[in-house]
């Protein structure tokens, strides 16, 4: 796994990985057959596959979010961008004879245009990121509803069916797509100085600028990239249900994406990008959702169980909790020595 | 005498002449929530058409999901002295004051498709579906279809919504009469296609591929449409291997039924104009009107699905 800021394998970086492992093991005790993986019709099948399959849209959004948060920003509009790109995909597929590649390109461009708008508000107009992206978060769903005419637009296309539910070399195609995007992003950030630039802008935009880094351009790029990732997620989500649901597609996904970045150990005050751990964070959240669905828990407990476990993961990660536990252990040891 | 002093009485006269037909045909006000879903749009169109058929002058106001707009609309209806008000309340609370104003002006108010928590004496009646009866109707169809032998998975609506709570309790109460009908799994799909698909996928995995599932009961059609895709992707035949019954009757479910992917849907009746206007007429004739006029829709089966889809699309 590629890390941009190369974290040492200390307790903090190990926490998300261990949490994911414990979570999967715990679920397999509650739900027998959770770990089963088999080959059905030449492709891989099982609950674990479902988790990765279902996690791809949120994972993509989280990767974009990780970079935006790395620059000390935040992008609340990702859910709305998902709705917009889904709407563009559906409406163009239904109303034109364009090749699916062209339709997909238009949807991605729509998402990047949204990102550009966010980036311009943040850099040129100096609006705080949370406020700047809030505007599109609210307006974007309206734009998507305008595109679809307020209805769920259903479409049929072999190409998009494949993106939503197809398989490539036995693996779900959308997972392959996500892996390609994540690995390419990690390579670009790590093999060039770009990752370092993003982090330095996040740590201190003013001193980065004095050192000759074009902070504005970098922040702009971060938001455009986040728009691209969200648009990709929107295409996958629309392809999944073969329809664009402007009211519900990607609703509250921004919160899950931010959570994934936080679980990865990044601070919301910027300066750190952990791509690999963000992926783990996204998987943790999706594992929780899938585990709750397969466990037979009554629906009204879903959110409270999810929140409790996320809190637990974050507590394990917090250095203060660890110091507290360590000092308690040391006290206990000391007192046992005295006796 | 100058021109100006002539214009005012002339304008008044014209206004009186222009407005005189309204003495003949009754004027009603209709405050609608908005046009957030296809169902609501068809409700609006149905009520407008019904008003036109009966020769009613219907003043329509779209509140765009805001209660303050609805209160403003109702006040302006009162000021215009309409003969009756139809109100589809966006929320349950906060209506007491404006309903009292209508009551004082002696204008009957009919609530459309949703209730309010105000004193029932402040409005004439509520015209709405009974979600419990919808759930029970779905359950009774399933019981008849399977001779009372069925392991059911349930896709609930958004947790806490009245549609989800009542559709579930109506369905539960009915299948409680059949010892061999039980809900083996139940989870919330949030009334969305994506939610219905994801939950159904996990049910199919948890039930060993879905062979033990006899039917899926979805609290709305959108979740059923998502579930149908999940069933297909698990190499099973929806409507055949797993029966699919849902509520709302949106156009797409008729397409699914025509394609042989769904078995039954119960209409959430959007044609509420007729009963509402009847209630006001009855009230004006001095008759007693019940506080809840149940306007439940029928159950649709695949045999009429293709025609219904053409009619609704």
């Amino acid at each position: 796994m590629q890390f941009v800021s190369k974290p040492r394998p200390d307790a903090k970086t190990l926490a998300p990985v261990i949490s994911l492992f414990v979570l999967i093991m715990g679920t397999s005790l509650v739900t027998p057959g959770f770990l089963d993986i088999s080959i059905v019709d030449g492709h891989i099948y099982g609950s674990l596959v479902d988790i990765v399959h279902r996690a791809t849209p949120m994972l993509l959004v989280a990767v974009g979010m990780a970079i935006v948060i790395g620059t000390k920003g935040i992008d609340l509009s990702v859910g709305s961008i998902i709705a917009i790109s889904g709407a563009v995909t559906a409406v163009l597929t239904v109303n034109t004879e364009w090749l699916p590649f062209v339709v997909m390109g238009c949807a991605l461009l729509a998402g990047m245009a949204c990102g550009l708008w966010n980036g311009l508000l943040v850099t040129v107009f100096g609006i705080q990121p949370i406020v700047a992206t809030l505007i599109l978060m609210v307006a974007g769903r309206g734009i998507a509803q305008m595109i679809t005419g307020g209805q769920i637009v259903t479409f049929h296309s072999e190409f998009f069916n494949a993106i939503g539910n197809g398989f490539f070399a036995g693996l779900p195609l959308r997972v392959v797509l996500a892996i390609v995007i994540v690995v390419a992003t990690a390579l670009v950030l790590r093999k060039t100085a770009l990752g370092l630039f993003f982090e330095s802008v996040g740590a201190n935009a003013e001193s980065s600028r004095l050192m000759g880094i074009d902070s504005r351009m970098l922040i702009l790029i971060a938001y455009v990239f986040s728009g691209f990732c969200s648009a990709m997620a929107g295409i996958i989500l629309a392809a999944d249900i073969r329809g664009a649901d402007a009211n519900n597609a990607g609703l509250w996904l921004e919160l899950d994406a931010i959570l994934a970045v936080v679980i990865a150990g990044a601070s919301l005050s910027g300066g750190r990008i952990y791509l690999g751990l963000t992926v783990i964070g996204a998987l943790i959240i999706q594992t929780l959702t899938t585990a709750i669905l397969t466990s037979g828990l009554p629906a009204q407990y879903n959110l409270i169980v999810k929140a409790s476990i996320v809190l637990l993961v974050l507590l394990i990660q917090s250095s203060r909790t660890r110091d507290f536990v360590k000092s308690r252990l040391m006290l206990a040891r000391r007192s046992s020595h005295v006796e | 005498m100058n021109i100006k002093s002539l214009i005012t009485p002339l304008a008044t006269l014209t206004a009186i002449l222009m407005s005189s037909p309204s003495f003949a045909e009754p004027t009603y006000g209709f405050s609608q929530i908005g046009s957030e879903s296809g169902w609501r749009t068809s409700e609006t169109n149905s009520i407008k058409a019904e008003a036109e058929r009966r020769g009613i002058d219907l003043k329509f106001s779209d509140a765009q999901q805001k209660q303050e707009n609805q209160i403003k609309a109702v006040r302006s209806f009162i000021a215009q002295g309409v003969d009756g008000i139809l109100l589809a309340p966006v929320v349950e609370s906060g209506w007491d004051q404006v309903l009292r104003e209508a009551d004082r002006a002696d204008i009957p108010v009919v609530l459309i498709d949703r209730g309010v928590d105000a004193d029932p004496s402040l409005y004439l009646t509520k015209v709405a579906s009974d979600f419990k009866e919808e759930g029970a109707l779905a359950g009774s169809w399933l019981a008849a279809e399977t001779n009372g032998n069925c392991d059911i998975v349930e896709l609930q609506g958004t947790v806490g919504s009245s549609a989800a709570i009542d559709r579930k309790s109506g369905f539960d109460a009915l299948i409680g009469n059949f010892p061999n009908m039980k809900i083996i799994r139940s989870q919330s799909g949030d009334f969305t296609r994506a939610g219905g698909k994801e939950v159904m996928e996990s049910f199919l995995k948890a039930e060993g591929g879905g062979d033990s599932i006899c039917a899926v009961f979805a609290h709305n059609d959108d979740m059923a449409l998502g579930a149908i895709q999940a069933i297909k992707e698990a190499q099973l035949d929806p409507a055949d291997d797993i029966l699919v019954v849902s509520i709302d009757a949106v156009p797409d479910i008729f397409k699914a039924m025509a394609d042989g992917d769904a078995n039954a849907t119960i209409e959430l009746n959007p044609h509420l104009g007729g009963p509402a206007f009847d209630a006001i007429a009855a009230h004006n004739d001095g008759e007693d009107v019940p506080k809840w006029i149940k306007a439940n829709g029928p159950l649709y089966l695949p045999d009429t699905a293709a025609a219904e889809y053409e009619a609704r699309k």
Side-chain angles (χ1 to χ4, degrees), chain A residues 30-52:
Chain A
V30 182
T31 314
F34 191 72
L35 295 178
D36 291 356
I37 286 182
S38 55
I39 303 288
V40 175
D41 285 344
H43 59 74
I44 192 163
Y45 179 90
S47 285
L48 289 180
V49 182
D50 271 3
I51 291 174
V52 186

PDB file of all heavy atoms in Angstrom, chain A residues 30-52:
ATOM      1  N   VAL A  30     -20.771 -13.375  14.509  1.00  0.00           N
ATOM      2  CA  VAL A  30     -22.213 -13.137  14.598  1.00  0.00           C
ATOM      3  C   VAL A  30     -22.935 -13.754  13.397  1.00  0.00           C
ATOM      4  O   VAL A  30     -23.990 -14.352  13.524  1.00  0.00           O
ATOM      5  CB  VAL A  30     -22.497 -11.627  14.669  1.00  0.00           C
ATOM      6  CG1 VAL A  30     -23.994 -11.368  14.804  1.00  0.00           C
ATOM      7  CG2 VAL A  30     -21.752 -11.007  15.843  1.00  0.00           C
ATOM      8  N   THR A  31     -22.354 -13.567  12.204  1.00  0.00           N
ATOM      9  CA  THR A  31     -22.993 -14.037  10.974  1.00  0.00           C
ATOM     10  C   THR A  31     -22.160 -15.144  10.363  1.00  0.00           C
ATOM     11  O   THR A  31     -21.140 -14.873   9.745  1.00  0.00           O
ATOM     12  CB  THR A  31     -23.104 -12.879   9.957  1.00  0.00           C
ATOM     13  OG1 THR A  31     -23.585 -11.735  10.631  1.00  0.00           O
ATOM     14  CG2 THR A  31     -24.019 -13.239   8.812  1.00  0.00           C
ATOM     15  N   PRO A  32     -22.570 -16.393  10.536  1.00  0.00           N
ATOM     16  CA  PRO A  32     -21.787 -17.471   9.937  1.00  0.00           C
ATOM     17  C   PRO A  32     -21.801 -17.349   8.405  1.00  0.00           C
ATOM     18  O   PRO A  32     -22.804 -16.914   7.836  1.00  0.00           O
ATOM     19  CB  PRO A  32     -22.520 -18.746  10.379  1.00  0.00           C
ATOM     20  CG  PRO A  32     -23.667 -18.313  11.215  1.00  0.00           C
ATOM     21  CD  PRO A  32     -23.771 -16.831  11.217  1.00  0.00           C
ATOM     22  N   GLY A  33     -20.676 -17.679   7.795  1.00  0.00           N
ATOM     23  CA  GLY A  33     -20.612 -17.600   6.330  1.00  0.00           C
ATOM     24  C   GLY A  33     -20.213 -16.229   5.832  1.00  0.00           C
ATOM     25  O   GLY A  33     -20.157 -15.983   4.641  1.00  0.00           O
ATOM     26  N   PHE A  34     -19.928 -15.304   6.782  1.00  0.00           N
ATOM     27  CA  PHE A  34     -19.564 -13.942   6.387  1.00  0.00           C
ATOM     28  C   PHE A  34     -18.244 -13.930   5.625  1.00  0.00           C
ATOM     29  O   PHE A  34     -18.033 -13.128   4.733  1.00  0.00           O
ATOM     30  CB  PHE A  34     -19.472 -13.062   7.637  1.00  0.00           C
ATOM     31  CG  PHE A  34     -19.372 -11.599   7.366  1.00  0.00           C
ATOM     32  CD1 PHE A  34     -20.464 -10.891   6.894  1.00  0.00           C
ATOM     33  CD2 PHE A  34     -18.181 -10.919   7.574  1.00  0.00           C
ATOM     34  CE1 PHE A  34     -20.375  -9.538   6.642  1.00  0.00           C
ATOM     35  CE2 PHE A  34     -18.084  -9.548   7.320  1.00  0.00           C
ATOM     36  CZ  PHE A  34     -19.191  -8.878   6.858  1.00  0.00           C
ATOM     37  N   LEU A  35     -17.344 -14.851   6.001  1.00  0.00           N
ATOM     38  CA  LEU A  35     -16.016 -14.858   5.378  1.00  0.00           C
ATOM     39  C   LEU A  35     -15.968 -15.704   4.104  1.00  0.00           C
ATOM     40  O   LEU A  35     -14.973 -15.692   3.397  1.00  0.00           O
ATOM     41  CB  LEU A  35     -14.978 -15.386   6.376  1.00  0.00           C
ATOM     42  CG  LEU A  35     -14.752 -14.531   7.616  1.00  0.00           C
ATOM     43  CD1 LEU A  35     -13.750 -15.197   8.541  1.00  0.00           C
ATOM     44  CD2 LEU A  35     -14.257 -13.153   7.223  1.00  0.00           C
ATOM     45  N   ASP A  36     -17.060 -16.453   3.834  1.00  0.00           N
ATOM     46  CA  ASP A  36     -17.053 -17.353   2.678  1.00  0.00           C
ATOM     47  C   ASP A  36     -16.853 -16.575   1.379  1.00  0.00           C
ATOM     48  O   ASP A  36     -17.532 -15.588   1.124  1.00  0.00           O
ATOM     49  CB  ASP A  36     -18.389 -18.117   2.579  1.00  0.00           C
ATOM     50  CG  ASP A  36     -18.525 -19.113   3.720  1.00  0.00           C
ATOM     51  OD1 ASP A  36     -17.553 -19.233   4.489  1.00  0.00           O
ATOM     52  OD2 ASP A  36     -19.583 -19.745   3.838  1.00  0.00           O
ATOM     53  N   ILE A  37     -15.915 -17.053   0.583  1.00  0.00           N
ATOM     54  CA  ILE A  37     -15.745 -16.490  -0.756  1.00  0.00           C
ATOM     55  C   ILE A  37     -15.737 -17.647  -1.738  1.00  0.00           C
ATOM     56  O   ILE A  37     -15.037 -18.640  -1.531  1.00  0.00           O
ATOM     57  CB  ILE A  37     -14.447 -15.670  -0.854  1.00  0.00           C
ATOM     58  CG1 ILE A  37     -14.629 -14.346  -0.120  1.00  0.00           C
ATOM     59  CG2 ILE A  37     -14.068 -15.426  -2.307  1.00  0.00           C
ATOM     60  CD1 ILE A  37     -13.450 -13.439  -0.187  1.00  0.00           C
ATOM     61  N   SER A  38     -16.576 -17.558  -2.752  1.00  0.00           N
ATOM     62  CA  SER A  38     -16.609 -18.652  -3.728  1.00  0.00           C
ATOM     63  C   SER A  38     -16.597 -18.060  -5.134  1.00  0.00           C
ATOM     64  O   SER A  38     -16.722 -16.853  -5.309  1.00  0.00           O
ATOM     65  CB  SER A  38     -17.870 -19.493  -3.512  1.00  0.00           C
ATOM     66  OG  SER A  38     -19.000 -18.650  -3.562  1.00  0.00           O
ATOM     67  N   ILE A  39     -16.433 -18.943  -6.099  1.00  0.00           N
ATOM     68  CA  ILE A  39     -16.472 -18.499  -7.492  1.00  0.00           C
ATOM     69  C   ILE A  39     -17.809 -18.924  -8.074  1.00  0.00           C
ATOM     70  O   ILE A  39     -18.132 -20.101  -8.127  1.00  0.00           O
ATOM     71  CB  ILE A  39     -15.319 -19.127  -8.308  1.00  0.00           C
ATOM     72  CG1 ILE A  39     -13.971 -18.792  -7.681  1.00  0.00           C
ATOM     73  CG2 ILE A  39     -15.391 -18.668  -9.758  1.00  0.00           C
ATOM     74  CD1 ILE A  39     -13.525 -17.362  -7.843  1.00  0.00           C
ATOM     75  N   VAL A  40     -18.638 -17.970  -8.448  1.00  0.00           N
ATOM     76  CA  VAL A  40     -19.930 -18.264  -9.063  1.00  0.00           C
ATOM     77  C   VAL A  40     -19.909 -17.681 -10.470  1.00  0.00           C
ATOM     78  O   VAL A  40     -19.644 -16.492 -10.650  1.00  0.00           O
ATOM     79  CB  VAL A  40     -21.082 -17.628  -8.243  1.00  0.00           C
ATOM     80  CG1 VAL A  40     -22.411 -17.842  -8.947  1.00  0.00           C
ATOM     81  CG2 VAL A  40     -21.122 -18.223  -6.839  1.00  0.00           C
ATOM     82  N   ASP A  41     -20.196 -18.514 -11.466  1.00  0.00           N
ATOM     83  CA  ASP A  41     -20.226 -18.049 -12.865  1.00  0.00           C
ATOM     84  C   ASP A  41     -18.939 -17.330 -13.269  1.00  0.00           C
ATOM     85  O   ASP A  41     -18.991 -16.295 -13.936  1.00  0.00           O
ATOM     86  CB  ASP A  41     -21.406 -17.100 -13.090  1.00  0.00           C
ATOM     87  CG  ASP A  41     -22.708 -17.862 -13.156  1.00  0.00           C
ATOM     88  OD1 ASP A  41     -22.642 -19.089 -13.332  1.00  0.00           O
ATOM     89  OD2 ASP A  41     -23.764 -17.230 -13.028  1.00  0.00           O
ATOM     90  N   GLY A  42     -17.815 -17.833 -12.793  1.00  0.00           N
ATOM     91  CA  GLY A  42     -16.535 -17.262 -13.223  1.00  0.00           C
ATOM     92  C   GLY A  42     -16.187 -15.948 -12.556  1.00  0.00           C
ATOM     93  O   GLY A  42     -15.243 -15.274 -12.953  1.00  0.00           O
ATOM     94  N   HIS A  43     -16.963 -15.529 -11.574  1.00  0.00           N
ATOM     95  CA  HIS A  43     -16.515 -14.356 -10.826  1.00  0.00           C
ATOM     96  C   HIS A  43     -16.673 -14.593  -9.330  1.00  0.00           C
ATOM     97  O   HIS A  43     -17.406 -15.462  -8.880  1.00  0.00           O
ATOM     98  CB  HIS A  43     -17.229 -13.082 -11.290  1.00  0.00           C
ATOM     99  CG  HIS A  43     -18.706 -13.147 -11.155  1.00  0.00           C
ATOM    100  ND1 HIS A  43     -19.339 -13.062  -9.946  1.00  0.00           N
ATOM    101  CD2 HIS A  43     -19.684 -13.279 -12.079  1.00  0.00           C
ATOM    102  CE1 HIS A  43     -20.642 -13.135 -10.137  1.00  0.00           C
ATOM    103  NE2 HIS A  43     -20.879 -13.278 -11.411  1.00  0.00           N
ATOM    104  N   ILE A  44     -15.969 -13.745  -8.583  1.00  0.00           N
ATOM    105  CA  ILE A  44     -15.844 -13.928  -7.155  1.00  0.00           C
ATOM    106  C   ILE A  44     -17.128 -13.465  -6.467  1.00  0.00           C
ATOM    107  O   ILE A  44     -17.780 -12.523  -6.902  1.00  0.00           O
ATOM    108  CB  ILE A  44     -14.592 -13.142  -6.702  1.00  0.00           C
ATOM    109  CG1 ILE A  44     -14.177 -13.466  -5.306  1.00  0.00           C
ATOM    110  CG2 ILE A  44     -14.754 -11.679  -6.907  1.00  0.00           C
ATOM    111  CD1 ILE A  44     -12.748 -13.013  -5.045  1.00  0.00           C
ATOM    112  N   TYR A  45     -17.548 -14.179  -5.383  1.00  0.00           N
ATOM    113  CA  TYR A  45     -18.858 -13.958  -4.780  1.00  0.00           C
ATOM    114  C   TYR A  45     -18.781 -14.146  -3.272  1.00  0.00           C
ATOM    115  O   TYR A  45     -18.166 -15.084  -2.792  1.00  0.00           O
ATOM    116  CB  TYR A  45     -19.841 -14.967  -5.406  1.00  0.00           C
ATOM    117  CG  TYR A  45     -21.246 -14.912  -4.910  1.00  0.00           C
ATOM    118  CD1 TYR A  45     -22.190 -14.098  -5.521  1.00  0.00           C
ATOM    119  CD2 TYR A  45     -21.653 -15.680  -3.820  1.00  0.00           C
ATOM    120  CE1 TYR A  45     -23.490 -14.054  -5.078  1.00  0.00           C
ATOM    121  CE2 TYR A  45     -22.960 -15.640  -3.363  1.00  0.00           C
ATOM    122  CZ  TYR A  45     -23.878 -14.825  -3.999  1.00  0.00           C
ATOM    123  OH  TYR A  45     -25.170 -14.786  -3.551  1.00  0.00           O
ATOM    124  N   GLY A  46     -19.396 -13.258  -2.516  1.00  0.00           N
ATOM    125  CA  GLY A  46     -19.417 -13.402  -1.056  1.00  0.00           C
ATOM    126  C   GLY A  46     -19.636 -12.056  -0.384  1.00  0.00           C
ATOM    127  O   GLY A  46     -19.591 -11.006  -1.021  1.00  0.00           O
ATOM    128  N   SER A  47     -19.854 -12.092   0.929  1.00  0.00           N
ATOM    129  CA  SER A  47     -20.133 -10.857   1.672  1.00  0.00           C
ATOM    130  C   SER A  47     -18.949  -9.895   1.647  1.00  0.00           C
ATOM    131  O   SER A  47     -19.120  -8.681   1.544  1.00  0.00           O
ATOM    132  CB  SER A  47     -20.496 -11.171   3.122  1.00  0.00           C
ATOM    133  OG  SER A  47     -21.801 -11.677   3.194  1.00  0.00           O
ATOM    134  N   LEU A  48     -17.703 -10.469   1.738  1.00  0.00           N
ATOM    135  CA  LEU A  48     -16.525  -9.595   1.717  1.00  0.00           C
ATOM    136  C   LEU A  48     -16.422  -8.870   0.382  1.00  0.00           C
ATOM    137  O   LEU A  48     -16.035  -7.702   0.321  1.00  0.00           O
ATOM    138  CB  LEU A  48     -15.256 -10.421   1.972  1.00  0.00           C
ATOM    139  CG  LEU A  48     -15.097 -10.939   3.401  1.00  0.00           C
ATOM    140  CD1 LEU A  48     -13.812 -11.737   3.535  1.00  0.00           C
ATOM    141  CD2 LEU A  48     -15.119  -9.797   4.401  1.00  0.00           C
ATOM    142  N   VAL A  49     -16.796  -9.582  -0.697  1.00  0.00           N
ATOM    143  CA  VAL A  49     -16.772  -8.959  -2.021  1.00  0.00           C
ATOM    144  C   VAL A  49     -17.807  -7.826  -2.066  1.00  0.00           C
ATOM    145  O   VAL A  49     -17.553  -6.751  -2.613  1.00  0.00           O
ATOM    146  CB  VAL A  49     -17.060  -9.999  -3.117  1.00  0.00           C
ATOM    147  CG1 VAL A  49     -16.976  -9.368  -4.488  1.00  0.00           C
ATOM    148  CG2 VAL A  49     -16.106 -11.172  -2.999  1.00  0.00           C
ATOM    149  N   ASP A  50     -18.970  -8.100  -1.457  1.00  0.00           N
ATOM    150  CA  ASP A  50     -20.018  -7.075  -1.400  1.00  0.00           C
ATOM    151  C   ASP A  50     -19.507  -5.811  -0.727  1.00  0.00           C
ATOM    152  O   ASP A  50     -19.837  -4.700  -1.136  1.00  0.00           O
ATOM    153  CB  ASP A  50     -21.218  -7.588  -0.589  1.00  0.00           C
ATOM    154  CG  ASP A  50     -22.209  -8.321  -1.462  1.00  0.00           C
ATOM    155  OD1 ASP A  50     -21.908  -8.459  -2.651  1.00  0.00           O
ATOM    156  OD2 ASP A  50     -23.259  -8.738  -0.949  1.00  0.00           O
ATOM    157  N   ILE A  51     -18.737  -5.994   0.334  1.00  0.00           N
ATOM    158  CA  ILE A  51     -18.245  -4.823   1.075  1.00  0.00           C
ATOM    159  C   ILE A  51     -17.383  -3.962   0.159  1.00  0.00           C
ATOM    160  O   ILE A  51     -17.586  -2.757   0.045  1.00  0.00           O
ATOM    161  CB  ILE A  51     -17.448  -5.273   2.322  1.00  0.00           C
ATOM    162  CG1 ILE A  51     -18.396  -5.906   3.334  1.00  0.00           C
ATOM    163  CG2 ILE A  51     -16.707  -4.096   2.938  1.00  0.00           C
ATOM    164  CD1 ILE A  51     -17.718  -6.508   4.530  1.00  0.00           C
ATOM    165  N   VAL A  52     -16.421  -4.599  -0.508  1.00  0.00           N
ATOM    166  CA  VAL A  52     -15.535  -3.835  -1.395  1.00  0.00           C
ATOM    167  C   VAL A  52     -16.346  -3.224  -2.535  1.00  0.00           C
ATOM    168  O   VAL A  52     -16.158  -2.062  -2.906  1.00  0.00           O
ATOM    169  CB  VAL A  52     -14.424  -4.750  -1.961  1.00  0.00           C
ATOM    170  CG1 VAL A  52     -13.429  -3.935  -2.748  1.00  0.00           C
ATOM    171  CG2 VAL A  52     -13.725  -5.489  -0.835  1.00  0.00           C
TER     172      VAL A  52
END
